[in-house]
Amino acid sequence: MSNMNLYSRGDKLFVIVNMVLIAIFMLSTLYPFIYIASLSLSTGFEARAGNVVLTPVGFTLEAYKQVLSEPQFWTSYKNTFIYTIFGTLMSLAFIIPGAYALSRPQLYGRRFWNLTVAFTMWFNAGLIPFFLNMRDLGLLDSYFGIIIGFAVNGFNIILLRNFFEAIPQSFEEAARMDGANEFQVLWKVYMPLSKPAIATVALFCIVSRWNGFFWAMVLLQDEDKIPLQVYLRHVIVELSDDEEFANSLLTSAYSFETVSAAIIVCSIIPILLIYPFLQKYFSKGILLGGVKE
Amino acid sequence: MTAGTSKLISRQKPTRLARITQHLKREWQLYLMLLPTVIWLLVFLYKPMYGLQIAFKDYSVFRGVAGSPWIGFEHFHILFENDQFLRALKNTVIMSAYGLLFGFPIPILLALMFNEVLNQFFKKTAQTIVYLPHFISSVIIAGIVITSFSPSAGIVNTILGWFGVDSIYFLTKPEWFRPIFIGTGIWQEAGFQSIVYLAAIAGVSPTLYESAVVDGANRWQMMWKITIPSIMTTIIIMLIIRIGNILEISFEMIILLYQPATYETADVVNTFIYRQGLQGGQYDFAAAAGLFNAVVAFILVMTANTISKRYSRTSLW
């Protein structure tokens, strides 16, 4: 629609009202982040008194000093990196070959295998049987349990399979002539052609790993193994009810509120750093993932 | 079976077997590629489905899934007389319905609004910002909510204070839980959900707009007469899918935000299962609640899929 040049006066008003409404929506999306960032940079006294509205009041980095001097913060940060990196690599190791095999027309029982994958998207056994299964497999309280237990996801397989299926067979003919086997065709022909789709799947994995908290909370008891999100929950959600603790933390320099805000800022930063990539690939990804049968 | 047919079968068997062997000899690599995924699905998703049988058993940790004695539908009888479960079921449906009522139109409006923006820089910036909350974890969002609504220092009470309203401890008030939860969900997801509609709008033929301009239509008229009718199929499909997913509520967020004081309005089926099973150790009873939830959800989703497929012949998800 951008190629139109003729506007009536009514159109101009329409465009302006529209921009104002979008601006309002934009600002209400941004405001909570600005508020938290300002809170984290304010003094505990001002934060407690409710004087922080838009910008930091009595600028101080004391809350960040508190957060960064806590060993458990670093332990859980490190753990999140471990779960995110190895979890994503593990997922790709399963998903790429699996999706490729499912995309091949000569695969025997292809409909059945596809249904086996798709069914897990519509029906799952639920929290309790999944938990008991992890326990029976001896995967409680283990790095490996978290990494392997969430490696495969039906949606990601189908997304990649759809992408592989859309690649014309003619691309692989030259490789086939040279006597390439399936692994070589996947590696040399399909993977280079599917970089955007693989990047999308990898980013889906990274975000869900980085943000995942529920199963980590349920499956991990050992504080040395918990990821950042579980630590965050412990500090922000559980301790927020504890008035006595909040008061004990209150000094003129920092308070429970400013420390919470500082932890929130520290854990958002990595997501913001990869956000340009996320935005580029995610919107394509969700549209690619349509289940075709 | 006559001698003739059995002879025929026995003669067919080796050829079929030979065909499969030959196929495997040629294509074994494909099956090797598929194998890890299939094993993973069996071990981590299908085996728990087998474990669902504890919903009909008096499960004991020592006897295991297979060894525990069957008790039929007893857990289900208790479940449907359990006030907490019925309350959770009611809350799930109510919260999903409110979420749908308030949350469904907003992404459509946003997409229509984005489409009317001519300044590409403004459009890109706005999209970048409104998509962002989707990528933030529920723990952080909950942390932002808890901090903002805190009775002592939260911004919401600060603003209310300007108008002389006494400080309210929102997260302990049952009547405030649903608005806060649903509002948070809209704040987090509305922007990102608009992508689907933007894609649908991008698919509308430009010639329609061109001929409308020739006919002297203004932008408002074009939006109502061209854009909205063109994306109606997408809107209806999304609506059907959302209704099909009515039992799927983001219980992670609820676990983070609710507390005993707000269970009355906040407790949903999955949080009930979490408390009874994972925190309380009543695995069999909680599994029964989970099975009920999963079966109803499956029926709803499949029905929604079938309807939307019939409607569009290409289901989106």
Side-chain angles (χ1 to χ4, degrees), chain A residues 55-95:
Chain A
T55 50
V57 185
F59 186 89
T60 172
L61 291 171
E62 215 38 55
Y64 286 93
K65 275 187 198 150
Q66 285 303 310
V67 172
L68 301 179
S69 66
E70 174 64 54
Q72 182 67 48
F73 171 79
W74 291 106
T75 309
S76 51
Y77 221 98
K78 177 201 76 187
N79 287 336
T80 290
F81 269 101
I82 292 174
Y83 293 129
T84 304
I85 293 167
F86 291 99
T88 303
L89 291 175
M90 181 76 88
S91 296
L92 293 176
F94 275 95
I95 290 171

CSV table of all heavy atoms in Angstrom, one decimal, chain A residues 55-95:
chain,number,residue,atom,x,y,z
A,55,THR,N,12.6,7.8,35.9
A,55,THR,CA,14.1,7.8,35.8
A,55,THR,C,14.6,7.4,37.2
A,55,THR,O,13.9,7.5,38.2
A,55,THR,CB,14.6,9.2,35.5
A,55,THR,OG1,13.9,10.1,36.3
A,55,THR,CG2,14.3,9.5,34.0
A,56,PRO,N,15.9,7.0,37.3
A,56,PRO,CA,16.5,6.6,38.6
A,56,PRO,C,16.5,7.8,39.6
A,56,PRO,O,16.7,8.9,39.1
A,56,PRO,CB,17.9,6.2,38.2
A,56,PRO,CG,17.9,5.9,36.8
A,56,PRO,CD,16.8,6.8,36.2
A,57,VAL,N,16.2,7.5,40.8
A,57,VAL,CA,16.2,8.5,41.8
A,57,VAL,C,17.4,8.2,42.8
A,57,VAL,O,17.5,7.2,43.4
A,57,VAL,CB,14.9,8.6,42.7
A,57,VAL,CG1,14.9,9.8,43.6
A,57,VAL,CG2,13.7,8.7,41.7
A,58,GLY,N,18.3,9.2,42.9
A,58,GLY,CA,19.5,9.0,43.7
A,58,GLY,C,20.4,7.9,43.1
A,58,GLY,O,20.6,6.8,43.8
A,59,PHE,N,20.8,8.1,41.9
A,59,PHE,CA,21.5,7.1,41.1
A,59,PHE,C,22.6,6.3,41.9
A,59,PHE,O,23.5,6.9,42.6
A,59,PHE,CB,22.2,7.8,39.9
A,59,PHE,CG,22.9,6.8,39.0
A,59,PHE,CD1,22.1,6.3,37.9
A,59,PHE,CD2,24.2,6.4,39.1
A,59,PHE,CE1,22.7,5.4,37.1
A,59,PHE,CE2,24.8,5.6,38.3
A,59,PHE,CZ,24.1,5.0,37.2
A,60,THR,N,22.6,5.0,41.9
A,60,THR,CA,23.6,4.2,42.6
A,60,THR,C,23.7,2.8,41.9
A,60,THR,O,22.7,2.3,41.3
A,60,THR,CB,23.3,3.9,44.0
A,60,THR,OG1,24.2,3.0,44.6
A,60,THR,CG2,21.9,3.5,44.3
A,61,LEU,N,24.9,2.2,41.9
A,61,LEU,CA,25.0,0.8,41.3
A,61,LEU,C,25.1,-0.2,42.4
A,61,LEU,O,25.4,-1.4,42.2
A,61,LEU,CB,26.3,0.8,40.5
A,61,LEU,CG,26.3,1.6,39.2
A,61,LEU,CD1,27.7,1.7,38.6
A,61,LEU,CD2,25.3,1.0,38.2
A,62,GLU,N,24.7,0.2,43.6
A,62,GLU,CA,24.8,-0.7,44.8
A,62,GLU,C,24.0,-2.0,44.6
A,62,GLU,O,24.5,-3.0,45.0
A,62,GLU,CB,24.2,0.1,46.0
A,62,GLU,CG,24.9,-0.2,47.4
A,62,GLU,CD,26.4,-0.3,47.3
A,62,GLU,OE1,27.1,0.6,46.8
A,62,GLU,OE2,26.8,-1.4,47.8
A,63,ALA,N,22.8,-1.9,44.0
A,63,ALA,CA,22.0,-3.1,43.8
A,63,ALA,C,22.8,-4.1,42.9
A,63,ALA,O,22.7,-5.3,43.2
A,63,ALA,CB,20.7,-2.8,43.2
A,64,TYR,N,23.4,-3.6,41.9
A,64,TYR,CA,24.2,-4.5,41.0
A,64,TYR,C,25.3,-5.1,41.7
A,64,TYR,O,25.7,-6.3,41.5
A,64,TYR,CB,24.6,-3.8,39.7
A,64,TYR,CG,23.5,-3.5,38.8
A,64,TYR,CD1,22.8,-2.3,38.9
A,64,TYR,CD2,23.1,-4.4,37.9
A,64,TYR,CE1,21.7,-2.1,38.0
A,64,TYR,CE2,22.0,-4.2,37.0
A,64,TYR,CZ,21.3,-3.0,37.1
A,64,TYR,OH,20.3,-2.8,36.2
A,65,LYS,N,26.0,-4.3,42.6
A,65,LYS,CA,27.1,-4.9,43.4
A,65,LYS,C,26.6,-6.1,44.2
A,65,LYS,O,27.3,-7.1,44.3
A,65,LYS,CB,27.7,-3.8,44.3
A,65,LYS,CG,28.7,-3.0,43.6
A,65,LYS,CD,29.4,-2.0,44.6
A,65,LYS,CE,30.1,-0.9,43.8
A,65,LYS,NZ,30.1,0.3,44.6
A,66,GLN,N,25.4,-5.9,44.8
A,66,GLN,CA,24.9,-7.0,45.6
A,66,GLN,C,24.6,-8.2,44.8
A,66,GLN,O,25.0,-9.3,45.2
A,66,GLN,CB,23.5,-6.5,46.3
A,66,GLN,CG,23.7,-5.6,47.4
A,66,GLN,CD,24.6,-6.1,48.5
A,66,GLN,OE1,24.3,-7.3,49.0
A,66,GLN,NE2,25.6,-5.4,48.9
A,67,VAL,N,24.0,-8.0,43.6
A,67,VAL,CA,23.7,-9.2,42.8
A,67,VAL,C,24.9,-9.9,42.3
A,67,VAL,O,25.0,-11.1,42.4
A,67,VAL,CB,22.8,-8.7,41.6
A,67,VAL,CG1,22.7,-9.9,40.6
A,67,VAL,CG2,21.5,-8.2,42.0
A,68,LEU,N,25.9,-9.1,41.8
A,68,LEU,CA,27.1,-9.7,41.3
A,68,LEU,C,28.0,-10.3,42.3
A,68,LEU,O,28.9,-11.1,41.9
A,68,LEU,CB,27.8,-8.7,40.4
A,68,LEU,CG,27.0,-8.1,39.2
A,68,LEU,CD1,27.8,-7.1,38.4
A,68,LEU,CD2,26.4,-9.2,38.3
A,69,SER,N,27.8,-9.9,43.6
A,69,SER,CA,28.7,-10.5,44.6
A,69,SER,C,28.1,-11.8,45.2
A,69,SER,O,28.7,-12.4,46.1
A,69,SER,CB,29.0,-9.5,45.7
A,69,SER,OG,27.8,-9.2,46.4
A,70,GLU,N,26.9,-12.2,44.7
A,70,GLU,CA,26.3,-13.4,45.2
A,70,GLU,C,26.8,-14.6,44.4
A,70,GLU,O,26.4,-14.7,43.2
A,70,GLU,CB,24.8,-13.2,45.1
A,70,GLU,CG,23.9,-14.4,45.4
A,70,GLU,CD,24.1,-14.8,46.9
A,70,GLU,OE1,23.8,-13.9,47.8
A,70,GLU,OE2,24.4,-16.0,47.1
A,71,PRO,N,27.5,-15.5,45.0
A,71,PRO,CA,28.0,-16.7,44.2
A,71,PRO,C,26.9,-17.5,43.5
A,71,PRO,O,27.1,-18.0,42.4
A,71,PRO,CB,28.7,-17.6,45.3
A,71,PRO,CG,28.9,-16.7,46.4
A,71,PRO,CD,27.9,-15.6,46.4
A,72,GLN,N,25.7,-17.6,44.2
A,72,GLN,CA,24.7,-18.4,43.6
A,72,GLN,C,24.2,-17.8,42.2
A,72,GLN,O,23.8,-18.5,41.3
A,72,GLN,CB,23.5,-18.5,44.6
A,72,GLN,CG,22.3,-19.4,44.1
A,72,GLN,CD,22.6,-20.8,43.9
A,72,GLN,OE1,23.2,-21.4,44.8
A,72,GLN,NE2,22.3,-21.4,42.8
A,73,PHE,N,24.3,-16.5,42.1
A,73,PHE,CA,23.9,-15.8,40.9
A,73,PHE,C,24.8,-16.3,39.7
A,73,PHE,O,24.3,-16.7,38.7
A,73,PHE,CB,24.0,-14.3,41.0
A,73,PHE,CG,23.8,-13.6,39.7
A,73,PHE,CD1,22.5,-13.3,39.2
A,73,PHE,CD2,24.9,-13.1,39.0
A,73,PHE,CE1,22.4,-12.7,38.0
A,73,PHE,CE2,24.8,-12.4,37.9
A,73,PHE,CZ,23.5,-12.2,37.3
A,74,TRP,N,26.1,-16.4,40.0
A,74,TRP,CA,27.0,-16.8,39.0
A,74,TRP,C,26.9,-18.3,38.6
A,74,TRP,O,27.0,-18.7,37.5
A,74,TRP,CB,28.5,-16.5,39.4
A,74,TRP,CG,28.7,-15.0,39.4
A,74,TRP,CD1,28.8,-14.2,40.5
A,74,TRP,CD2,28.8,-14.1,38.2
A,74,TRP,NE1,29.0,-12.9,40.1
A,74,TRP,CE2,29.0,-12.8,38.7
A,74,TRP,CE3,28.8,-14.3,36.9
A,74,TRP,CZ2,29.1,-11.7,37.9
A,74,TRP,CZ3,28.9,-13.3,36.0
A,74,TRP,CH2,29.1,-12.0,36.5
A,75,THR,N,26.7,-19.1,39.7
A,75,THR,CA,26.5,-20.5,39.5
A,75,THR,C,25.3,-20.7,38.5
A,75,THR,O,25.4,-21.5,37.6
A,75,THR,CB,26.2,-21.2,40.8
A,75,THR,OG1,27.2,-20.9,41.7
A,75,THR,CG2,26.2,-22.7,40.6
A,76,SER,N,24.2,-20.1,38.8
A,76,SER,CA,23.0,-20.3,38.0
A,76,SER,C,23.1,-19.7,36.6
A,76,SER,O,22.6,-20.3,35.7
A,76,SER,CB,21.7,-19.9,38.7
A,76,SER,OG,21.9,-18.5,39.2
A,77,TYR,N,23.8,-18.6,36.5
A,77,TYR,CA,24.1,-18.0,35.2
A,77,TYR,C,24.9,-19.0,34.4
A,77,TYR,O,24.6,-19.3,33.2
A,77,TYR,CB,24.9,-16.7,35.4
A,77,TYR,CG,24.4,-15.6,34.4
A,77,TYR,CD1,23.5,-14.7,34.9
A,77,TYR,CD2,24.8,-15.6,33.1
A,77,TYR,CE1,23.1,-13.7,34.1
A,77,TYR,CE2,24.4,-14.6,32.3
A,77,TYR,CZ,23.5,-13.6,32.7
A,77,TYR,OH,23.0,-12.6,31.9
A,78,LYS,N,25.9,-19.6,35.0
A,78,LYS,CA,26.8,-20.6,34.2
A,78,LYS,C,25.9,-21.8,33.8
A,78,LYS,O,26.0,-22.2,32.7
A,78,LYS,CB,27.9,-21.0,35.2
A,78,LYS,CG,28.8,-22.1,34.6
A,78,LYS,CD,29.6,-22.9,35.7
A,78,LYS,CE,28.6,-23.9,36.4
A,78,LYS,NZ,29.2,-24.5,37.5
A,79,ASN,N,25.1,-22.2,34.8
A,79,ASN,CA,24.2,-23.4,34.4
A,79,ASN,C,23.3,-23.1,33.3
A,79,ASN,O,23.1,-23.9,32.4
A,79,ASN,CB,23.4,-23.8,35.7
A,79,ASN,CG,24.3,-24.5,36.7
A,79,ASN,OD1,25.3,-25.0,36.4
A,79,ASN,ND2,23.8,-24.4,38.0
A,80,THR,N,22.7,-21.9,33.3
A,80,THR,CA,21.8,-21.5,32.1
A,80,THR,C,22.6,-21.6,30.8
A,80,THR,O,22.1,-22.1,29.8
A,80,THR,CB,21.2,-20.2,32.4
A,80,THR,OG1,20.3,-20.3,33.4
A,80,THR,CG2,20.5,-19.7,31.1
A,81,PHE,N,23.8,-21.1,30.8
A,81,PHE,CA,24.6,-21.2,29.6
A,81,PHE,C,24.8,-22.7,29.2
A,81,PHE,O,24.7,-23.0,28.0
A,81,PHE,CB,26.0,-20.5,29.7
A,81,PHE,CG,25.9,-19.0,29.3
A,81,PHE,CD1,25.7,-18.0,30.2
A,81,PHE,CD2,25.9,-18.7,28.0
A,81,PHE,CE1,25.6,-16.7,29.8
A,81,PHE,CE2,25.8,-17.4,27.6
A,81,PHE,CZ,25.6,-16.4,28.5
A,82,ILE,N,25.1,-23.5,30.2
A,82,ILE,CA,25.4,-24.9,29.9
A,82,ILE,C,24.1,-25.6,29.3
A,82,ILE,O,24.1,-26.2,28.2
A,82,ILE,CB,25.8,-25.7,31.2
A,82,ILE,CG1,27.1,-25.2,31.6
A,82,ILE,CG2,25.7,-27.2,30.9
A,82,ILE,CD1,27.6,-25.8,32.9
A,83,TYR,N,22.9,-25.3,29.9
A,83,TYR,CA,21.7,-25.9,29.4
A,83,TYR,C,21.3,-25.4,28.1
A,83,TYR,O,20.9,-26.1,27.2
A,83,TYR,CB,20.5,-25.6,30.4
A,83,TYR,CG,20.7,-26.3,31.7
A,83,TYR,CD1,20.6,-25.6,32.9
A,83,TYR,CD2,21.0,-27.7,31.8
A,83,TYR,CE1,20.7,-26.3,34.2
A,83,TYR,CE2,21.1,-28.4,33.0
A,83,TYR,CZ,21.0,-27.6,34.2
A,83,TYR,OH,21.2,-28.3,35.4
A,84,THR,N,21.6,-24.1,27.9
A,84,THR,CA,21.2,-23.5,26.6
A,84,THR,C,22.1,-24.0,25.4
A,84,THR,O,21.6,-24.4,24.4
A,84,THR,CB,21.3,-21.9,26.7
A,84,THR,OG1,20.5,-21.5,27.7
A,84,THR,CG2,20.8,-21.3,25.4
A,85,ILE,N,23.4,-24.0,25.7
A,85,ILE,CA,24.3,-24.4,24.6
A,85,ILE,C,24.2,-25.9,24.3
A,85,ILE,O,23.9,-26.3,23.1
A,85,ILE,CB,25.8,-24.0,24.9
A,85,ILE,CG1,25.9,-22.5,25.0
A,85,ILE,CG2,26.8,-24.6,23.9
A,85,ILE,CD1,27.2,-22.0,25.6
A,86,PHE,N,24.3,-26.7,25.3
A,86,PHE,CA,24.3,-28.1,25.1
A,86,PHE,C,22.9,-28.6,24.7
A,86,PHE,O,22.7,-29.5,23.9
A,86,PHE,CB,24.9,-28.9,26.2
A,86,PHE,CG,26.4,-28.7,26.3
A,86,PHE,CD1,26.9,-27.8,27.3
A,86,PHE,CD2,27.3,-29.4,25.5
A,86,PHE,CE1,28.3,-27.6,27.4
A,86,PHE,CE2,28.6,-29.2,25.6
A,86,PHE,CZ,29.1,-28.3,26.5
A,87,GLY,N,21.9,-28.0,25.3
A,87,GLY,CA,20.5,-28.4,25.0
A,87,GLY,C,20.2,-28.1,23.5
A,87,GLY,O,19.6,-28.9,22.8
A,88,THR,N,20.7,-26.9,23.0
A,88,THR,CA,20.4,-26.6,21.6
A,88,THR,C,21.1,-27.5,20.7
A,88,THR,O,20.6,-28.0,19.7
A,88,THR,CB,20.8,-25.1,21.4
A,88,THR,OG1,20.0,-24.3,22.3
A,88,THR,CG2,20.5,-24.7,20.0
A,89,LEU,N,22.4,-27.7,21.0
A,89,LEU,CA,23.2,-28.6,20.1
A,89,LEU,C,22.5,-30.0,20.1
A,89,LEU,O,22.4,-30.7,19.0
A,89,LEU,CB,24.6,-28.7,20.6
A,89,LEU,CG,25.5,-27.5,20.4
A,89,LEU,CD1,26.8,-27.6,21.1
A,89,LEU,CD2,25.6,-27.1,19.0
A,90,MET,N,22.1,-30.5,21.3
A,90,MET,CA,21.5,-31.8,21.3
A,90,MET,C,20.2,-31.8,20.5
A,90,MET,O,20.0,-32.8,19.7
A,90,MET,CB,21.1,-32.1,22.8
A,90,MET,CG,20.5,-33.4,23.1
A,90,MET,SD,21.6,-34.8,23.0
A,90,MET,CE,22.2,-34.8,24.7
A,91,SER,N,19.4,-30.8,20.6
A,91,SER,CA,18.2,-30.7,19.8
A,91,SER,C,18.5,-30.8,18.3
A,91,SER,O,17.8,-31.5,17.6
A,91,SER,CB,17.4,-29.4,20.1
A,91,SER,OG,17.0,-29.4,21.5
A,92,LEU,N,19.4,-30.0,17.9
A,92,LEU,CA,19.7,-30.0,16.5
A,92,LEU,C,20.2,-31.3,16.0
A,92,LEU,O,19.9,-31.8,14.9
A,92,LEU,CB,20.8,-28.9,16.1
A,92,LEU,CG,20.3,-27.4,16.4
A,92,LEU,CD1,21.4,-26.5,16.1
A,92,LEU,CD2,19.1,-27.1,15.5
A,93,ALA,N,21.0,-32.0,16.9
A,93,ALA,CA,21.5,-33.3,16.5
A,93,ALA,C,20.4,-34.3,16.3
A,93,ALA,O,20.5,-35.2,15.4
A,93,ALA,CB,22.5,-33.8,17.6
A,94,PHE,N,19.3,-34.2,17.0
A,94,PHE,CA,18.2,-35.0,16.8
A,94,PHE,C,17.3,-34.6,15.6
A,94,PHE,O,16.9,-35.3,14.8
A,94,PHE,CB,17.3,-35.0,18.1
A,94,PHE,CG,17.7,-36.0,19.1
A,94,PHE,CD1,18.5,-35.6,20.2
A,94,PHE,CD2,17.3,-37.3,19.1
A,94,PHE,CE1,18.9,-36.5,21.1
A,94,PHE,CE2,17.7,-38.2,20.1
A,94,PHE,CZ,18.5,-37.8,21.1
A,95,ILE,N,17.0,-33.3,15.7
A,95,ILE,CA,16.0,-32.7,14.8
A,95,ILE,C,16.4,-32.7,13.3
A,95,ILE,O,15.6,-33.1,12.4
A,95,ILE,CB,15.6,-31.3,15.2
A,95,ILE,CG1,14.8,-31.4,16.6
A,95,ILE,CG2,14.7,-30.6,14.2
A,95,ILE,CD1,14.5,-30.1,17.2
